[in-house]
Amino acid sequence: QVQLVESGGGLVQPGGSLRLSCAASTSVFSTYVMGWYRQAPGKQRELVARIYRDSSTTYADFVKGRFTISRDNGKKTVYLQMNSLKPEDTAVYYCNAFLVLAVNSWGKGTQVTVSS
């Protein structure tokens, strides 16, 4: 499995921005599908955004136009740029690395709190 370490979470006011990072300990990072998920208190974990090997992306409807996922294969890092944050974006954000039949790894998460 792959070790993933998230960073960049914190407290931000509504309308503000944060950039999350997830560093992976693997030499084959470019082969993985990387995703960001989130889990709010009392709710199930949900997909936020995903980026594929060819850098194509998918987003949950609730973040389209506000969040951008990107990857730097040289740095073995995936990013989530979050703009126009809302209180309902408050959650623990998790990074995921996936490779069919081989890898499905999770980071420990980083807390994002949107509050005035």
Side-chain angles (χ1 to χ4, degrees):
Q1 296 293 306
V2 178
Q3 289 195 344
L4 302 170
V5 179
E6 302 100 334
S7 61
L11 173 64
V12 63
Q13 293 187 341
S17 298
L18 284 174
R19 188 175 84 151
L20 306 183
S21 300
C22 171
S25 63
T26 174
S27 60
V28 292
F29 175 81
S30 63
T31 68
Y32 297 151
V33 178
M34 299 299 299
W36 285 99
Y37 291 72
R38 71 185 188 186
Q39 188 168 17
K43 296 188 176 181
Q44 290 189 334
R45 191 173 297 188
E46 60 186 357
L47 174 67
V48 175
R50 187 179 283 143
I51 186 165
Y52 298 87
R53 294 172 59 175
D54 63 357
S55 293
S56 61
T57 57
T58 59
Y59 294 92
D61 286 344
F62 53 78
V63 302
K64 282 182 180 178
R66 300 189 299 125
F67 291 9
T68 303
I69 189 170
S70 61
R71 67 192 299 162
D72 185 331
N73 289 334
K75 295 182 178 180
K76 296 180 284 186
T77 300
V78 62
Y79 303 98
L80 185 68
Q81 177 66 45
M82 305 186 295
N83 299 328
S84 302
L85 283 161
K86 305 175 182 179
E88 52 263 44
D89 294 318
T90 295
V92 178
Y93 283 71
Y94 296 92
C95 179
N96 173 261
F98 180 79
L99 185 64
V100 64
L101 299 180
V103 173
N104 186 20
S105 296
W106 294 90
K108 293 183 178 181
T110 185
Q111 176 70 46
V112 171
T113 302
V114 185
S115 175
S116 55

